[in-house]
Amino acid sequence: MNDFGSTTTTDEVLEGIDLTGRRIVITGAASGLGLESARALAAHGATVTVLARSDERAAGAKDQVDALVPGTSVEYGVVDLGELASIRRFADTYLETHDAIDVLINNAGVMACPFGRTADGFETQFGTNHLGHFLLTALLSPAILAGHHPRVVTLSSAGHSRADVDLVDPNFETTAYSAWVAYGQAKTANALFARELAHRGGPRGLLSFSVHPGGIMTELGRHLDEALMNEMIEFSLTRSAAAAATADPSAEPRSLGFEFKSVEAGAATQVWAATAAGLEDHNGAYLADCGLGVLGADPGVNGFQPYLLDDDHAAALWELSEQLVGTRFVL
């Protein structure tokens, strides 16, 4: 499909691409992958709205992009994805002044945090990473569908391989809490949402993808202590060994295990998903290393688990999400 790979950067992905006239909205843009995506996309002419959970962080993100690429068109907004009322306030305000969104990048997230609940009582990771983005996308959908060749890019993770999403007890009301299992369920939910969004929105011209960015040292890892890191490393090694044992011997060899990327390389796949030509035949796909994910390969590299292809589960998650956030998502 292209010559890109795990070390490809955002600037390499966007080389020669003019995004003038494209309007892009990015959650979690105050730092890390969201900020780098905003910088790169704005530098190529896009009008970018950076979102963060406080006015201070959102305004700071705009100031950083303005400083890095002077003369670009950057706006900011406040969205706390752990509070449904905050999402509704932003969407109402945004739609009053904007009639179209060409790309929504659902980038924000929390990882392996201690047990907690959002303002609306959802388990923190499921509520923030999945339900918050589900509601935001639903409320902004009229503008998205009015966009020019619109796309929604939702960050998943190799962490999806820790667990399929539990639709009976997604908020750990009766199940013993595990920080990594909760993260895995939320990241699986992100991928299933992207797939179902493609199924429902594809006939309207909407492209939707989920993305594994790779391992990057950002604020996302602020909750990781030694025990959680050791658990992650042990699971990654076990997962890599299993993938190696079942790998197609004729396939191109790939490094197994966990390797950190630069922020510029980590943000590249979501930027590629937002802008690359030729992805129409892969609507709903799970992407990694600026390419298509590979079923059964090592999720720590570019692989994904079979349950990300479960369309019945994806549809059931969509319906449950509508019930939990109290909003019908009709495309």
Side-chain angles (χ1 to χ4, degrees):
M1 182 175 289
N2 58 54
D3 294 326
F4 298 153
S6 62
T7 61
T8 299
T9 66
T10 50
D11 287 331
E12 290 170 336
V13 164
L14 293 174
E15 184 176 359
I17 295 178
D18 182 4
L19 299 174
T20 302
R22 301 286 282 172
R23 181 173 292 280
I24 300 175
V25 177
I26 307 174
T27 68
S31 63
L33 305 185
L35 180 61
E36 168 58 18
S37 298
R39 178 206 66 79
L41 293 163
H44 284 259
T47 297
V48 179
T49 301
V50 291
L51 305 182
R53 63 180 179 270
S54 71
D55 189 81
E56 179 182 10
R57 289 176 64 83
K62 171 179 164 48
D63 290 343
Q64 288 187 74
V65 177
D66 285 340
L68 290 168
V69 279
T72 54
S73 179
V74 183
E75 305 170 347
Y76 75 90
V78 177
V79 173
D80 182 346
L81 291 166
E83 181 186 343
L84 301 184
S86 171
I87 299 168
R88 296 184 191 282
R89 284 194 300 270
F90 167 75
D92 287 344
T93 301
Y94 188 88
L95 294 177
E96 287 176 358
T97 54
H98 302 80
D99 57 6
I101 297 170
D102 299 304
V103 181
L104 171 64
I105 301 180
N106 290 323
N107 164 83
V110 292
M111 180 176 73
C113 58
F115 179 75
R117 297 204 178 276
T118 67
D120 303 279
F122 308 124
E123 186 275 317
T124 300
Q125 298 187 76
F126 182 71
T128 302
N129 296 349
H130 169 60
L131 291 177
H133 282 123
F134 180 88
L135 179 61
L136 179 67
T137 308
L139 295 177
L140 294 180
S141 61
I144 295 169
L145 292 175
H148 182 64
H149 299 304
R151 301 187 186 196
V152 175
V153 179
T154 302
L155 261 68
S156 181
S157 165
H160 82 268
S161 60
R162 289 303 299 261
D164 195 355
V165 62
D166 181 355
L167 300 185
V168 176
D169 188 26
N171 292 305
F172 288 84
E173 294 173 343
T174 59
T175 306
Y177 181 73
S178 160
W180 281 123
V181 169
Y183 181 66
Q185 290 196 41
K187 293 290 99 180
T188 293
N190 287 143
L192 290 175
F193 166 55
R195 185 173 177 85
E196 184 67 7
L197 182 60
H199 173 74
R200 298 182 183 227
R204 301 287 305 276
L206 175 65
L207 297 183
S208 169
F209 306 102
S210 60
V211 166
H212 167 45
I216 308 99
M217 294 296 290
T218 69
E219 287 186 12
L220 184 66
R222 60 186 175 275
H223 296 293
L224 297 183
D225 57 20
E226 184 176 358
L228 285 170
M229 283 294 294
N230 287 339
E231 184 181 346
M232 178 184 71
I233 292 169
E234 181 179 356
F235 180 81
S236 296
L237 291 174
T238 302
R239 182 183 62 196
S240 297
T246 59
D248 180 354
S250 66
E252 181 180 352
R254 299 293 301 272
S255 61
L256 297 175
F258 189 82
E259 298 178 2
F260 284 111
K261 293 183 178 183
S262 68
V263 171
E264 293 80 7
T269 301
Q270 64 202 62
V271 169
W272 180 74
T275 60
L279 290 177
E280 293 78 9
D281 291 339
H282 304 287
N283 202 5
Y286 177 89
L287 309 177
D289 289 348
C290 300
L292 298 175
V294 179
L295 176 63
D298 181 8
V301 183
N302 66 342
F304 65 91
Q305 297 297 319
Y307 47 74
L308 296 195
L309 302 178
D310 189 335
D311 289 331
D312 291 338
H313 209 45
L317 172 64
W318 184 286
E319 293 172 4
L320 175 63
S321 301
E322 289 183 326
Q323 295 171 19
L324 292 174
V325 304
T327 297
R328 289 286 312 281
F329 189 164
V330 180
L331 292 164

